[in-house]
Amino acid sequence: MLIDRVEERWIAVFERAFRLSKVNPGDSVAILSETQSRPVNVHLAELALLRIGAEPFHLVMPSPPQHSPVPVRSTGSSHSIAGNRPVIEALSRATMVADLTVEGLMHAEETPEILGAGSRILYISNEHPDALERLAPDETLIPRVLKGRDMMRAAKRMTVTSPAGTDLSVVLEGARIGGNLGAAYDPGTLATWPGGICSCFPALGTVNGTVVLDEGDINITFKRYLEKPVRLRIEHDYVVAVEGVGLDADLTREYFDAWNDPEAYGTSHVGWGMNPRARWESMMMYDKAHTNGIEQRAFAGNFLFSTGANPFANRHTLGHFDLPIRHCTISLDDKPVVIGGKLVPELA
């Protein structure tokens, strides 16, 4: 059982994260949290920033009321700011935002304005600090993620196959391509801790094929390892069929259907994990309340397929699945970047 207690070693790892994001003495850093944020992480962020000599200040928002038909988990789209102008302006004027909201500002409506004003955002995932310590920011990961991002930007198509039956094609022309470095050191950028993902938001109508979630693959929204295969048939971005028998297929169909929203079936983002410290099996070691599943998104060599919001395809919904899949081969214009779930040497 893990205890939510301030530990010196956790202050040190938070300090390391902020230093990697180039927080300097005198920088104004907004610590954005909400009433349901993990208090120990908010406290650790403050203490670490004070160690550096930065000038942190707190903005604490009430966690928003629930309006969804089912529990909302792992969307990356916090609604806690709720369009509050003074809050947006304060975040925009800060040197950096330490984002400790429950869901994070990755897809939040206010984020483009905050970044456009020249601030930057480091989302500290709503994990227990035990996991954040193990996944301490790694400066050696940054050039490899940038390499993967550049390879994706130079390609016209991504293809994904697997022994289980995945056979997917993604047109990369017109996609919004990026990489999660695990550090936000340039104005106008956003990163998450832990980092280590190359990904893109595909343009409208550019994703087609089949994605098969096999035994042992992960549904992050449910924080569950699959026990039986689930097959998703995808046409022009949208899941048009969920095939399979047993509990996992039933859960997937029910959660999709509960939204009563066709956009929940759309493709959100696709990519692959690059973090060698992130572990596929580690979710077994944490109670669900102690993990947000960011680690499983980032473990090296996984194919990350996500459904739901894609602002670059004008798709907005809170219905969201993050699905890290093992044993895939991912190619960019027929050049592999992941082979059988292992990064090619130039990215490893």
Side-chain angles (χ1 to χ4, degrees), residues 2 19 37 51 93 108 113 119 127 138 241:
L2 296 168
R19 289 193 183 279
S37 294
R51 274 192 181 184
R93 295 177 64 181
E113 180 177 350
S119 187
E127 312 280 344
D138 179 4

Side-chain angles (χ1 to χ4, degrees), residues 76-87:
S77 183
S78 174
H79 283 187
S80 60
I81 297 176
N84 187 302
R85 288 307 312 171
V87 171

Side-chain angles (χ1 to χ4, degrees), residues 107 168 170 200-208 211 221 232-242 252 255-257 259-270 304-323:
H107 311 317
L168 190 72
V170 181
C200 73
F201 288 96
L204 184 65
T206 58
V207 183
N208 290 278
V211 171
T221 304
L232 306 178
R233 288 198 292 112
I234 300 157
E235 297 178 2
H236 305 295
D237 298 350
Y238 290 87
V239 175
V240 297
V242 179
T252 304
Y255 195 75
F256 268 133
D257 290 347
W259 290 98
N260 193 30
D261 180 1
E263 301 299 352
Y265 290 84
T267 300
S268 177
H269 52 85
V270 298
L304 180 61
F305 179 77
S306 301
T307 61
N310 179 346
F312 303 100
N314 197 29
R315 185 177 301 121
H316 303 281
T317 177
L318 282 180
H320 188 68
F321 280 129
D322 271 329
L323 306 166

Side-chain angles (χ1 to χ4, degrees), residues 118-153:
S119 187
R120 60 190 194 269
I121 300 171
L122 177 65
Y123 173 54
I124 301 171
S125 180
N126 193 40
E127 312 280 344
H128 194 279
D130 175 82
L132 294 173
E133 177 188 13
R134 194 166 40 77
L135 295 161
D138 179 4
E139 61 184 6
T140 68
L141 187 59
I142 293 174
R144 287 180 279 132
V145 174
L146 291 174
K147 173 70 171 177
R149 184 193 67 181
D150 290 345
M151 293 171 71
M152 193 185 297
R153 286 179 174 175

Side-chain angles (χ1 to χ4, degrees), residues 30-321:
I31 301 175
L32 176 67
S33 63
E34 57 183 285
T35 50
Q36 286 296 312
S37 294
R38 194 182 298 274
V40 67
N41 287 349
V42 177
H43 196 180
L44 290 166
E46 175 192 308
L47 294 173
L49 289 166
L50 290 171
R51 274 192 181 184
I52 292 171
E55 297 178 356
F57 62 95
H58 288 276
L59 290 170
V60 185
M61 303 301 296
S63 291
Q66 297 188 54
H67 298 295
S68 302
V70 285
V72 177
R73 297 289 185 272
S74 302
T75 65
S77 183
S78 174
H79 283 187
S80 60
I81 297 176
N84 187 302
R85 288 307 312 171
V87 171
I88 295 170
E89 290 166 12
L91 297 174
S92 298
R93 295 177 64 181
T95 305
M96 194 181 82
V97 177
D99 175 14
L100 287 120
T101 58
V102 175
E103 293 292 341
L105 298 180
M106 287 84 74
H107 311 317
E109 293 181 9
E110 300 87 356
T111 296
E113 180 177 350
I114 296 166
L115 296 179
S119 187
R120 60 190 194 269
I121 300 171
L122 177 65
Y123 173 54
I124 301 171
S125 180
N126 193 40
E127 312 280 344
H128 194 279
D130 175 82
L132 294 173
E133 177 188 13
R134 194 166 40 77
L135 295 161
D138 179 4
E139 61 184 6
T140 68
L141 187 59
I142 293 174
R144 287 180 279 132
V145 174
L146 291 174
K147 173 70 171 177
R149 184 193 67 181
D150 290 345
M151 293 171 71
M152 193 185 297
R153 286 179 174 175
K156 294 183 178 180
R157 183 178 299 272
M158 175 193 295
T159 56
V160 187
T161 59
S162 78
T166 291
D167 189 359
L168 190 72
S169 173
V170 181
V171 175
L172 295 176
E173 294 176 297
R176 178 62 177 263
I177 295 170
N180 177 17
L181 307 179
Y185 47 76
D186 288 328
T189 61
L190 181 150
T192 69
W193 171 20
I197 303 172
C198 285
S199 65
C200 73
F201 288 96
L204 184 65
T206 58
V207 183
N208 290 278
T210 302
V211 171
V212 178
L213 312 172
D214 204 1
E215 178 182 359
D217 292 332
I218 303 171
N219 186 314
I220 296 296
T221 304
F222 295 157
K223 298 183 177 67
R224 174 181 172 84
Y225 295 94
L226 273 71
E227 297 180 3
K228 291 186 177 180
V230 177
R231 178 182 295 265
L232 306 178
R233 288 198 292 112
I234 300 157
E235 297 178 2
H236 305 295
D237 298 350
Y238 290 87
V239 175
V240 297
V242 179
E243 300 169 346
V245 296
L247 178 60
D248 294 304
D250 286 346
L251 286 170
T252 304
R253 281 189 285 261
E254 291 286 344
Y255 195 75
F256 268 133
D257 290 347
W259 290 98
N260 193 30
D261 180 1
E263 301 299 352
Y265 290 84
T267 300
S268 177
H269 52 85
V270 298
W272 65 88
M274 296 191 64
N275 193 328
R277 296 185 183 181
R279 301 295 306 178
W280 160 73
E281 77 279 7
S282 69
M283 198 168 66
M284 292 292 292
M285 313 303 174
Y286 295 97
D287 295 336
K288 285 189 176 183
H290 281 158
T291 181
N292 200 32
I294 291 284
E295 177 173 3
Q296 280 64 48
R297 293 171 176 87
F299 73 85
N302 87 79
F303 169 55
L304 180 61
F305 179 77
S306 301
T307 61
N310 179 346
F312 303 100
N314 197 29
R315 185 177 301 121
H316 303 281
T317 177
L318 282 180
H320 188 68
F321 280 129

